[in-house]
């Protein structure tokens, strides 16, 4: 039978997950709000 308590104690997260999380949070992505701001700047400037 599997001892879940022991398995949880032995668990170590994958380094790949930590690296991916850092890359996602540190990346400045363009979202819908950024696009709308750019569109408003373009239309108000004309």
């Amino acid at each position: 039978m599997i001892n879940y308590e022991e398995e949880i104690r032995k668990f170590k997260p994958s380094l790949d997950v930590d690296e991916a999380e850092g890359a996602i949070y540190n990346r400045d992505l363009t979202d819908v709000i950024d696009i709308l701001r750019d569109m408003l700047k373009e239309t108000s400037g004309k």
Side-chain angles (χ1 to χ4, degrees), residues 1-45:
M1 196 134 195
I2 297 175
N3 183 344
Y4 290 103
E5 305 266 333
E6 182 180 339
E7 294 299 322
I8 289 173
R9 273 186 262 128
K10 292 190 305 185
F11 175 76
K12 293 183 181 176
S14 170
L15 293 178
D16 294 339
V17 172
D18 291 336
E19 291 171 6
E21 181 180 284
I24 291 168
Y25 286 122
N26 291 332
R27 192 167 185 188
D28 186 25
L29 298 175
T30 302
D31 61 2
V32 174
I33 299 299
D34 294 330
I35 294 170
L36 290 174
R37 283 185 190 139
D38 289 344
M39 289 172 64
L40 286 172
K41 283 180 190 175
E42 287 178 11
T43 57
S44 65

